[in-house]
């Protein structure tokens, strides 16, 4: 067990965790950042929409960020956190290899996983010719034909949004019967629907070839789709008994209803983008800093606003 008491242990070294570390380091806080190195966007290799880093390699962005942080009292472990839990007035964090750490607060910025559908060939093209986010990737393939894969998760709004980057978009409904409202959106966007079963994807010099059940195939510049997400919160069980952290987040600063636990990045309420993740890491770090001042100098700051009560679950509609 590392006997130091850190002000904050940060779980996750993506934009959220790194920016949180920068704010906390500059606030003269003692910080440990633990990161297992498998970011959500690694498959893409580069990132966009981050000023001065548009098109930068993700690995390079991370190592340059860490280099900047060495000016402050921030240390790093490349490791996986297997459990974290509150214990009295601190949090105990256990890692796979580096041991156990104690901190006054935990900033949890471990991100989410995109759950890829089991379509043969899709995983191999993920991040290079198969994408989810038009703002991140469509510029590079603009004016080429796109396929939008409806599959099990409807993506008709994605198809309409993509019309700004290409006027040749085909919606693959993969045999799903499209309801009238989805059909109307696609018709208004000028996007035709192909209903044949999609059997797989193959690499193609133009981008991706979509294989259909009738044996034919069509090449597109890229295939876009919406995906389900899995929040990476396993290490917080059983301390946090919620399926995700959005449901326990109590304000826009990343505070949660769980004492000493703060959230930032894709796991929180903000839009899932690198710049937003970084901003939310900064916000959470400021909340942590003032909450620690509150603890060290009682009465020196007004209490944070009381969180709004958790909304009651919406009852299921009558059959
Ligand atoms: C293919 C793809 C491309 C994208 N491209 C862009 C883009 O160009 N521009 C853009 O703005 N956004 C892009 N995004 C979205 C962007 O990746 C996320 O919004 C952003 O990475 C979120 O930052 P984060 O810090 O919350 O999480 P992440 O960047 O995912 O970082 C989380 C970190 O936590 C670590 N971690 C998880 N669990 C543990 C644990 N138990 N112990 C220790 N470490 C742990 C992970 O290894 C990871 O390094 C893309 C997403 C995808 C899927």
């Amino acid at each position: 067990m590392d006997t130091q008491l850190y002000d904050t242990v940060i779980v996750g070294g993506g934009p959220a965790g790194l920016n949180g570390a920068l704010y906390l380091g500059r606030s003269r806080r003692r910080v440990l950042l633990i990161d297992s190195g498998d970011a959500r966007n690694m498959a893409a290799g580069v990132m966009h929409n981050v000023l001065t880093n548009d098109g930068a390699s993700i690995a390079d962005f991370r190592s340059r960020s860490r280099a900047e942080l060495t000016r402050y009292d921030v240390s790093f472990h490349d490791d996986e956190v297997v459990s974290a839990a509150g214990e009295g007035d601190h949090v105990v964090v256990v890692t796979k290899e580096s041991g156990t750490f104690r901190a006054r607060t935990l900033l949890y910025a471990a991100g989410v996983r995109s759950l890829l559908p089991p379509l043969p060939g899709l995983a191999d093209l993920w991040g290079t010719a198969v994408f989810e986010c038009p703002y991140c990737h469509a510029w590079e393939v603009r004016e080429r034909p796109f396929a939008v894969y409806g599959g099990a998760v409807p993506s008709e709004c994605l198809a309409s949004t993509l019309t700004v980057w290409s006027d040749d978009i085909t919606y693959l409904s993969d045999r799903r019967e499209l309801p009238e409202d989805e059909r109307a959106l696609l018709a208004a966007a000028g996007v035709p629907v192909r209903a044949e079963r999609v059997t797989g994807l193959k690499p193609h010099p133009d981008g991706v070839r979509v294989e259909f059940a009738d044996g034919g195939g069509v090449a597109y510049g890229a295939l876009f789709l919406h995906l389900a997400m899995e929040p990476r919160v396993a290490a917080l069980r059983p301390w946090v008994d919620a399926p995700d952290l959005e449901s326990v987040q109590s304000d826009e600063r990343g505070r949660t209803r769980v004492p000493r636990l703060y959230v930032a990045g894709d796991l929180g309420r903000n839009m899932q983008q690198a710049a937003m993740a970084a901003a939310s890491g900064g916000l959470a770090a400021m909340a942590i800093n003032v909450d620690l001042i509150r603890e060290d100098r009682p009465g020196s700051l007004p209490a944070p606003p009381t969180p709004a009560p958790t909304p009651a679950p919406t009852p299921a509609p009558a059959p």
Side-chain angles (χ1 to χ4, degrees):
M1 155 102 80
D2 181 337
T3 51
Q4 287 196 65
L5 179 63
Y6 291 93
D7 288 311
T8 308
V9 164
I10 299 177
V11 182
L18 289 164
N19 209 38
L22 180 59
Y23 273 70
L24 286 165
R26 290 179 53 78
S27 308
R28 306 183 69 198
R29 297 295 176 185
R30 174 170 293 172
V31 177
L32 172 64
L33 186 150
I34 306 171
D35 182 55
S36 57
D38 55 331
R40 188 177 162 215
N41 54 352
M42 264 335 174
V46 296
M47 60 200 266
H48 293 281
N49 291 322
V50 180
L51 277 171
T52 75
N53 280 290
D54 188 41
S57 131
I58 293 156
D60 188 46
F61 166 80
R62 286 178 162 226
S63 65
R64 281 186 287 114
S65 302
R66 283 194 186 201
E68 282 182 4
L69 288 166
T70 56
R71 291 181 206 143
Y72 309 106
D73 192 356
V74 178
S75 39
F76 302 94
H77 280 300
D78 291 320
D79 202 346
E80 184 185 332
V81 169
V82 290
S83 80
E87 209 176 278
D89 60 0
H90 59 266
V91 180
V92 176
V93 178
V94 182
T95 64
K96 219 175 203 173
E97 289 170 1
S98 334
T100 298
F101 303 92
R102 287 185 316 128
R104 299 174 68 193
T105 55
L106 185 73
L107 174 54
Y108 205 81
V112 300
R113 272 188 215 288
S114 304
L115 298 175
L116 303 181
L119 185 63
L122 187 145
D124 296 335
L125 292 164
W126 172 237
T128 54
V130 174
F131 308 112
E132 186 174 29
C133 165
Y135 298 95
C136 307
H137 306 289
W139 171 263
E140 279 64 35
V141 287
R142 65 194 180 280
E143 293 175 13
R144 296 191 209 163
F146 298 159
V148 174
Y149 183 60
V153 185
S155 299
E156 71 286 351
C157 294
L158 179 58
S160 302
T161 306
L162 281 164
T163 54
V164 77
W165 287 278
S166 168
D167 54 13
D168 183 354
I169 297 173
T170 306
Y171 187 86
L172 309 175
S173 66
D174 201 23
R175 289 187 306 174
R176 192 172 68 89
E177 197 48 55
L178 291 187
E180 204 40 56
D181 55 338
E182 287 180 33
R183 219 168 254 288
L185 285 169
L186 291 168
V191 173
V193 177
R194 253 189 105 146
E196 293 103 307
R197 185 161 69 86
V198 176
T199 53
L201 305 181
K202 294 223 166 100
H204 188 276
D206 292 344
V208 51
R209 183 179 148 95
V210 177
E211 306 281 329
F212 293 99
D214 65 4
V218 179
Y220 296 96
L223 179 139
F224 286 83
L225 77 172
H226 265 325
L227 294 170
M229 304 289 159
E230 179 182 57
R232 301 181 70 177
V233 292
L236 295 175
R237 310 262 184 255
W239 185 33
V240 179
D241 181 21
D244 54 51
L245 288 187
E246 264 185 82
S247 56
V248 294
Q249 186 172 343
S250 58
D251 71 8
E252 301 311 315
R253 297 281 172 118
R255 293 186 176 91
T256 72
R257 292 188 168 76
V258 182
R260 301 188 182 277
L261 174 65
Y262 299 76
V263 61
D266 282 1
L267 268 177
R269 283 184 196 155
N270 49 291
M271 182 68 78
Q272 295 184 344
Q273 291 281 285
M276 280 69 154
S280 71
L283 283 171
M286 287 191 277
I288 289 171
N289 185 48
V290 294
D291 289 351
L292 290 176
I293 296 171
R294 282 190 178 96
E295 194 167 290
D296 293 337
R297 296 177 188 270
S300 67
L301 286 168
T306 319
T310 312
T314 317

